[in-house]
Amino acid sequence: MELLKKLTQAFGPSGNEQTVRDIITEEIKGFCDETKVDTLGNLVVRKYGGGKKLMLSAHMDEIGIIATVIDDKNFVHFSEIGGVKINALHSSKVKFIDGTIGIIYEKSEKPTKFSDLYIDIPNICKGEGLYNISVGDTAVMASEFNLSGDFVSSKALDDRVGCYILLETLKSITKPNYDLYFVFTVQEELGLRGAKTAAAGISPDYAIAVDVTVCDDIPGGGKYPLVLGKGPAIKVKDGSVICHPEIKRLLADTAKAERIDIQYEILDKGGTDAGAIHTTGVGVATGALSIPTRYIHTACETASISDIKNAVKLLSKVCGDTL
Amino acid sequence: MEQLMELCKMEGVSGFEFEVGNAVKGIFEKYCDFVEADTVGNVIGVIGRGRRRKVMIEAHLDEIGLMVQKIDEKGFVRFCEIGGINPATLPGAEVYIHGRERIFGVIGAKPPHLQTKEESTKNYKIEKMYIDTGFSADMLCDKIAVGDWITFVSKPSLLQNNRICAKSIDNRMGISCLIECMKRLKDTKTDFETVFLASVQEEVGCRGAKVGAYKIEPDFAIVVDVTHAETPYTESTDTVFPLGSGAAIAVGPSLNTALTQCIINTAKKREIPYKTEVCAANSGTDAWAIETTKKGIPCALISAPLKYMHTQVETVCLDDVKAVCDVICGAIEEGIHC
Amino acid sequence: MLKILSEAFGVSGAEDEVREIIKNEMLSLCDNVETDSMGNLICLKKGTKGYCNTIMLTAHMDEVGFIISGVTKEGYLRFKTVGGIDPRVLSAKKVIIGKNKTVGCIGDKPPHLEGKKKDKAASVKDLYIDIGAKDDDDALKYISIGDFACFDSEYKEFGDILIKGKALDDRIGCFILLDLAKNRYPHDVYFVFTVQEEIGCRGAGVATYSVKPDIAIVVEATTCSDVPETDEAGFSTKLRGGGAISILDRSSYSAPDLRNVLYKAAVSNGIKVQYKQTTFGGNDAGAIHLTETGIKTAVISVPCRYIHSPSCVASIGDINSVYDILDNFLKGEVNEAWSF
């Protein structure tokens, strides 16, 4: 799990995926035939195989914040990047790219918008010096990587866990069944943006997006039936896509043959890269495989290691012969 | 009329249009020179391939519905909506769940005499309702699964004054217009290669039309859909039309002015009843998605007024449907000079 | 020219008048001028050197406004807004309707008759346009259902030295593009005047699909809230603070390298420049940067107070600043200065 730790601890708010991309670029060396970074910053990794094009995607970016105003007392005012929850930020720490830690607190009681919060960087020195934060700088939630039994907690499991699964899948394949494209996308949290242009560049026949999904098996939950540790989830629908029956079948049949437990995911709202991919060009038969995750978009996203391993096994079998 | 009723009986919620798609493909094949289904399930029919200009007539194939979200230990089925649904219309509704087999069920909710006073004054919430199939959980789990789609049971009826009441007139009415136009244009000499697109997944965001238009890339598109009709429940400030007032031709910033004017001229010339429908922003139809495809596709939107949209008792007037067909065929016969 | 542009009629979907004005100017300035099927005006000015990148500059021609949706028996017009207008600015304003430029006013209750409801904001449903018609038949002699309407507002220069008018969002951008087109640059430059920005950035994506530029810069008017009753953290931009370069907004994250080159073009030439310091709003960049396989896109704006009202206010200095930044940027040698 060292790789997952490295990936989740890396700095990569939407639009600033460079660090994550560098880690992945290093990891794939020797396992692929072609790599390319496109205009928006998506990393497209190709492994030659015969026949139809299958695109697997996971997004590199995570939610975060962006400094908009630094006032004359050096307090930082900010906006959110992606679907950040106010409660998850309040009274917590954020980390800038250079490691600077900021403390978030409220300007007014019961904050309801991000302008009700500010960041205090005690040692900030505007313009020069040790801590140098400027307007437009971004930060992510500061958090430890915790492993405990079958469970892993960290920031940015959404969607570094997807990146991890793609990497492990790529490494395990000996003989591809398809012309494989492993795509590490940008700006998913801002509206599935990277996946859209990446898919336009590839024009795949099939696509599978790998991401986290809401796991609601917690006190006060229960609306969605997913349970942590009961297997990766084959997406049926969310707010952005209704998955293609062929891809659902492919995933389900492979799982059955390999005796991998799976669950089915149905979300009313929210979206993943699959949403952007399936309406690209003349249309792409698209599905998604999700890792049930508790506390998404907080500093302590929690998932099951066995679900993650099963997802790797399942995807590898879908993609080709494996080690 | 029979055609429309048959189409309304067919079942196909957004994302699950394969059966209705196949049936419609079969009908298209009777009248078109060439028919295909694409990756996402759109059905495309062509008349007059290779003619100088290409016009696309489009309507969506899908209907709103529900989806199985959870089966509880007693066998009650919890569900979510696909497309917009008014929860008030659900209690007591009859449904089919499309699993390994088609299972009948009724939608239930907490009985009124067990509700608190506060609960009883509010509409039921969708997450508080359930489907009762009469099977135990064990028996049911062999037949259906999470993710199965659900349609309403509603036999089409003929009301007074040429009006039909059924589920999914939105937008099988549009598909019936496509078929009617095919019949009429099949042997007519026109300038156009006419492409008929029956698209999927409109109710969840115009997804089929987007990729269909990308593939077809016509010079113009005419979208056929439904719009709101006047009822006692609509307000005087709403943009609504009485049933029987003819085709509603949309005008507004996202619709092509010249093409629309051309269609209005046809209606005037041929004395086809019509009304002007003002769409100030997103028309909420496939026209919105089609217009911005590739280098831009000039779009017009023609609708039939429909009462009680997105319920099991959608009601349309056949005279309006005829007016929609008349004006589309008329415009194409006259050559769309714009 | 800015006066002519500001006062021209060009609600989203009815940009013809604005397009004609711009087209007439551009025909003599550019090498190729085309109108596409949606109404975008695409003008190419060839570069002096063959090897350079294709740069697309865009400004949108459309403005927020109204569309007539019905007539009451008494002859008042019902309307809907086209684009985002706060209904609270509508009370007691004048509008111009349709091809005949019929004048109308949006009336409201005299304070004497208001009663207790006066704290409640009006919604568009409660407002009517009065053109002086006797009844519905009379009204329909002058206007038709579906006619567009815009604010009636005269362009004025005032204060030190500011301008006021309707539709400064984004006729200011159009004006700057027109001025830039008078010069010839090393690169091929497409000056693109887009339609339907205010109802969802619909024209820009389509135009980008045709032009397929290497990079795109959107020239806009953006919110400026450096006014009383506002915290500095919410200012967004400051009037007289120079051209505002966007970092992140609801529709796009500007390409960092391109954004930096623009900023440097300002600083190294002593031109006033600022960042837009909120993430609200969106513009054509949203559609442009996601076209096909993606386009490097940045946004530079003129700060504009009271945007989307009949009285938008902007500073001549800021307009000049945006022009100068872009002019310096376009003069630059692409290959040397840019990392992409």
Side-chain angles (χ1 to χ4, degrees):
Chain A
M1 289 291 122
E2 270 312 300
L3 176 58
L4 184 59
K5 180 176 178 182
K6 200 167 157 191
L7 285 166
T8 52
Q9 288 293 298
F11 178 89
S14 310
N16 300 260
E17 298 88 353
Q18 181 76 39
T19 318
V20 183
R21 189 166 52 234
D22 290 347
I23 294 172
I24 295 171
T25 308
E26 199 54 42
E27 282 295 319
I28 54 174
K29 275 186 184 153
F31 293 102
C32 60
D33 300 308
E34 233 176 67
T35 67
K36 189 182 142 191
V37 177
D38 77 3
T39 311
L40 260 70
N42 298 303
L43 174 63
V44 180
V45 177
R46 187 168 170 200
K47 192 171 177 76
Y48 297 148
K52 303 248 183 186
K53 291 182 196 170
L54 169 62
M55 166 175 168
L56 300 182
S57 87
H59 66 90
M60 297 187 285
D61 61 315
E62 66 188 293
I63 55 162
I65 61 97
I66 182 165
T68 53
V69 173
I70 299 167
D71 67 24
D72 38 15
K73 293 193 179 100
N74 283 339
F75 290 110
V76 178
H77 306 263
F78 65 95
S79 293
E80 80 282 17
I81 294 181
V84 184
K85 292 174 185 149
I86 297 239
N87 323 351
L89 268 190
H90 187 266
S91 304
S92 72
K93 290 179 191 165
V94 290
K95 195 189 262 183
F96 289 83
I97 190 163
D98 64 353
T100 304
I101 294 285
I103 298 150
I104 296 193
Y105 203 67
E106 64 195 20
K107 293 182 210 172
S108 55
E109 253 180 78
K110 292 192 188 140
T112 54
K113 28 188 213 306
F114 291 93
S115 56
D116 296 337
L117 301 174
Y118 66 93
I119 306 174
D120 182 355
I121 304 170
N123 283 323
I124 194 174
C125 179
K126 201 176 179 181
E128 53 184 315
L130 185 57
Y131 299 106
N132 187 0
I133 304 301
S134 357
V135 170
D137 282 356
T138 54
V140 297
M141 285 187 270
S143 106
E144 301 276 304
F145 180 85
N146 286 308
L147 262 182
S148 155
D150 186 42
F151 300 108
V152 53
S153 305
S154 172
K155 77 164 179 76
L157 278 181
D158 177 8
D159 182 28
R160 305 294 156 67
V161 76
C163 298
Y164 172 83
I165 291 166
L166 256 59
L167 284 171
E168 293 300 317
T169 302
L170 170 64
K171 288 174 190 170
S172 71
I173 294 164
T174 49
K175 189 168 162 286
N177 288 342
Y178 305 92
D179 205 2
L180 292 173
Y181 290 80
F182 294 81
V183 183
F184 301 89
T185 64
V186 297
Q187 299 191 28
E188 191 268 357
E189 301 289 359
L190 295 179
L192 322 178
R193 292 184 188 157
K196 182 170 188 274
T197 61
I202 296 166
S203 302
D205 298 292
Y206 309 113
I208 300 171
V210 184
D211 207 336
V212 299
T213 188
V214 182
C215 186
D216 203 22
D217 59 342
I218 50 174
K223 185 177 176 194
Y224 304 116
L226 296 184
V227 177
L228 217 59
K230 286 251 176 105
I234 298 174
K235 191 188 286 287
V236 178
K237 78 170 267 279
D238 64 22
S240 69
V241 65
I242 294 172
C243 291
H244 199 278
E246 261 184 68
I247 305 294
K248 277 192 300 187
R249 202 177 307 124
L250 175 67
L251 287 166
D253 291 351
T254 311
K256 203 169 179 189
E258 298 294 322
R259 296 170 190 276
I260 299 168
D261 281 340
I262 49 119
Q263 312 182 65
Y264 283 99
E265 173 206 351
I266 301 164
L267 285 184
D268 304 337
K269 292 180 283 196
T272 88
D273 281 345
I277 297 165
H278 83 297
T279 54
T280 303
V282 297
V284 180
T286 306
L289 190 64
S290 306
I291 300 300
T293 305
R294 292 178 187 161
Y295 324 120
I296 290 176
H297 286 195
T298 71
C300 41
E301 299 176 332
T302 301
S304 146
I305 304 277
S306 62
D307 290 348
I308 298 170
K309 287 190 170 155
N310 279 326
V312 173
K313 195 170 156 193
L314 174 53
L315 275 185
S316 305
K317 289 292 173 193
V318 166
C319 289
D321 296 346
T322 54
L323 291 170
Chain B
M1 183 175 76
E2 285 77 20
Q3 180 80 269
L4 177 54
M5 283 185 162
E6 278 312 307
L7 287 165
C8 289
K9 279 188 214 161
M10 293 175 190
E11 295 166 320
V13 172
S14 313
F16 301 88
E17 300 91 347
F18 21 85
E19 286 169 28
V20 64
N22 263 335
V24 165
K25 190 164 175 255
I27 303 173
F28 276 21
E29 273 160 0
K30 282 193 239 165
Y31 307 107
C32 290
D33 311 334
F34 172 83
V35 180
E36 64 171 333
D38 75 2
T39 316
V40 296
N42 292 319
V43 180
I44 301 167
V46 185
I47 288 177
R49 222 176 193 188
R51 284 189 199 149
R52 202 164 57 84
R53 294 194 293 166
K54 197 192 268 190
V55 62
M56 176 170 90
I57 309 176
E58 193 268 3
H60 69 88
L61 198 53
D62 59 319
E63 65 189 281
I64 51 138
L66 307 169
M67 180 182 271
V68 178
Q69 194 161 37
K70 199 173 171 178
I71 302 166
D72 76 12
E73 61 280 4
K74 290 186 177 149
F76 293 111
V77 177
R78 301 285 178 158
F79 55 86
C80 60
E81 61 176 356
I82 296 185
I85 286 176
N86 178 358
T89 62
L90 294 180
E94 299 174 15
V95 296
Y96 284 123
I97 304 175
H98 301 259
R100 247 161 250 133
E101 30 186 309
R102 196 173 75 164
I103 302 292
F104 178 84
V106 294
I107 297 182
K110 190 175 174 184
H113 45 281
L114 298 181
Q115 288 184 343
T116 62
K117 206 167 182 187
E118 208 200 326
E119 278 177 328
S120 65
T121 58
K122 286 184 184 148
N123 275 334
Y124 291 103
K125 288 210 164 98
I126 206 161
E127 56 266 27
K128 297 282 182 197
M129 289 183 266
Y130 52 84
I131 298 168
D132 189 343
T133 63
F135 286 112
S136 68
D138 283 350
M139 291 166 84
L140 196 56
C141 285
D142 290 337
K143 301 175 197 298
I144 63 164
V146 167
D148 284 344
W149 52 290
I150 303 166
T151 53
F152 294 105
V153 182
S154 173
K155 212 179 89 193
S157 313
L158 192 58
L159 305 185
Q160 307 307 318
N161 293 312
N162 233 357
R163 286 153 199 217
I164 287 183
C165 169
K167 75 161 182 69
S168 62
I169 291 180
D170 174 7
N171 190 18
R172 302 293 154 67
M173 182 291 297
I175 302 292
S176 80
C177 285
L178 260 53
I179 295 165
E180 180 60 28
C181 290
M182 275 172 206
K183 288 184 190 169
R184 293 202 213 164
L185 294 171
K186 181 164 64 89
D187 302 314
T188 313
K189 198 132 183 61
T190 70
D191 284 353
F192 293 99
E193 171 173 338
T194 311
V195 184
F196 298 88
L197 171 62
S199 72
V200 298
Q201 299 191 31
E202 191 266 357
E203 299 289 1
V204 291
C206 307
R207 294 177 190 158
K210 187 170 176 246
V211 299
Y214 194 98
K215 184 184 177 103
I216 296 165
E217 224 186 331
D219 299 316
F220 314 100
I222 300 172
V223 174
V224 188
D225 210 331
V226 293
T227 187
H228 295 285
E230 190 177 74
T231 69
Y233 309 103
T234 57
E235 288 176 33
S236 63
T237 49
D238 292 336
T239 308
V240 292
F241 307 94
L243 280 197
S245 54
I249 302 175
V251 299
S254 71
L255 297 151
N256 186 276
T257 312
L259 176 60
T260 303
Q261 196 53 51
C262 190
I263 287 166
I264 290 176
N265 291 345
T266 302
K268 281 183 181 157
K269 189 172 154 198
R270 301 195 171 196
E271 294 178 344
I272 302 163
Y274 79 95
K275 290 266 194 246
T276 310
E277 180 186 12
V278 173
C279 294
N282 188 339
S283 58
T285 70
D286 283 333
W288 181 258
I290 293 168
E291 197 196 19
T292 54
T293 302
K294 286 191 170 174
K295 293 185 178 180
I297 298 167
C299 254
L301 169 63
I302 306 177
S303 308
L306 179 72
K307 288 180 173 181
Y308 325 119
M309 198 187 289
H310 286 201
T311 73
Q312 306 94 291
V313 292
E314 296 181 330
T315 300
V316 74
C317 175
L318 288 173
D319 304 340
D320 296 337
V321 180
K322 181 174 178 298
V324 171
C325 297
D326 287 347
V327 78
I328 295 172
C329 292
I332 290 175
E333 281 160 13
E334 283 171 21
I336 309 183
H337 300 292
C338 66
Chain C
M1 190 67 207
L2 190 49
K3 179 179 163 70
I4 294 170
L5 285 169
S6 165
E7 288 176 4
F9 187 99
V11 177
S12 310
E15 299 89 351
D16 313 48
E17 189 178 318
V18 181
R19 185 171 51 243
E20 283 312 306
I21 294 167
I22 298 173
K23 194 171 153 190
N24 282 336
E25 295 289 315
M26 282 308 220
L27 280 171
S28 60
L29 298 173
C30 287
D31 302 311
N32 189 32
V33 175
E34 268 176 45
T35 305
D36 76 6
S37 72
M38 273 185 88
N40 297 304
L41 184 67
I42 301 173
C43 314
L44 168 63
K45 184 131 182 176
K46 287 228 167 78
T48 51
K49 297 186 180 171
Y51 61 82
C52 286
N53 296 29
T54 302
I55 301 174
M56 179 173 88
L57 299 182
T58 76
H60 66 90
M61 295 186 286
D62 61 316
E63 64 186 294
V64 296
F66 317 92
I67 185 164
I68 306 303
S69 58
V71 184
T72 69
K73 279 208 170 61
E74 300 81 15
Y76 295 97
L77 313 185
R78 285 204 192 92
F79 63 95
K80 297 178 176 184
T81 52
V82 175
I85 298 181
D86 183 341
R88 289 173 299 179
V89 308
L90 297 183
S91 180
K93 300 295 183 299
K94 281 206 250 170
V95 298
I96 296 171
I97 308 156
K99 288 207 177 69
N100 304 329
K101 305 222 163 181
T102 310
V103 177
C105 68
I106 301 172
D108 208 341
K109 267 190 169 177
H112 328 68
L113 306 178
E114 258 290 282
K116 282 180 188 150
K117 276 168 74 187
K118 68 178 172 217
D119 277 345
K120 197 171 169 281
S123 94
V124 172
K125 274 189 170 184
D126 308 326
L127 298 169
Y128 297 89
I129 297 171
D130 186 347
I131 56 168
K134 286 184 283 221
D135 54 33
D136 48 355
D137 287 337
D138 189 34
L140 288 169
K141 285 184 204 154
Y142 312 107
I143 59 99
S144 315
I145 306 295
D147 275 359
F148 289 93
C150 69
F151 288 116
D152 182 8
S153 171
E154 207 179 317
Y155 173 89
K156 263 198 180 69
E157 296 182 1
F158 73 113
D160 177 30
I161 175 175
L162 305 180
I163 59 170
K164 166 256 146 188
K166 75 167 180 69
L168 293 186
D169 172 13
D170 183 29
R171 304 294 156 68
I172 284 183
C174 299
F175 172 74
I176 293 170
L177 259 57
L178 273 174
D179 251 7
L180 288 166
K182 290 173 184 158
N183 313 320
R184 199 172 283 277
Y185 295 104
H187 334 281
D188 286 355
V189 182
Y190 280 92
F191 296 92
V192 176
F193 301 87
T194 66
V195 297
Q196 297 187 29
E197 193 269 356
E198 298 291 358
I199 59 165
C201 308
R202 291 168 57 76
V206 164
T208 310
Y209 185 90
S210 310
V211 173
K212 294 191 170 55
D214 297 312
I215 58 173
I217 298 172
V218 175
V219 186
E220 258 286 9
T222 194
T223 46
C224 173
S225 318
D226 60 338
V227 292
E229 306 287 324
T230 313
D231 278 344
E232 197 187 338
F235 279 5
S236 238
T237 59
K238 290 178 191 156
L239 209 68
R240 304 189 179 91
I245 295 174
S246 294
I247 300 172
L248 170 73
D249 66 25
R250 294 276 176 256
S251 68
S252 74
Y253 207 134
S254 291
D257 41 8
L258 182 56
R259 180 187 95 202
N260 287 335
V261 174
L262 279 176
Y263 200 83
K264 275 183 205 143
V267 175
S268 59
N269 291 292
I271 306 164
K272 261 195 185 172
V273 65
Q274 58 184 325
Y275 282 118
K276 179 180 173 185
Q277 289 185 273
T278 57
T279 56
F280 306 137
N283 53 56
D284 276 342
I288 293 168
H289 85 296
L290 296 182
T291 301
E292 292 293 297
T293 57
I295 310 284
K296 257 185 207 296
T297 307
V299 185
I300 184 164
S301 309
V302 174
C304 183
R305 287 181 187 160
Y306 327 119
I307 205 164
H308 290 198
S309 87
S311 304
C312 309
V313 168
S315 137
I316 299 261
D318 292 339
I319 297 174
N320 291 337
S321 150
V322 171
Y323 172 89
D324 289 340
I325 294 169
L326 289 170
D327 182 48
N328 277 297
F329 168 81
L330 293 169
K331 278 185 209 155
E333 295 282 324
V334 185
N335 308 25
E336 288 164 28
W338 304 349
S339 61
F340 34 96

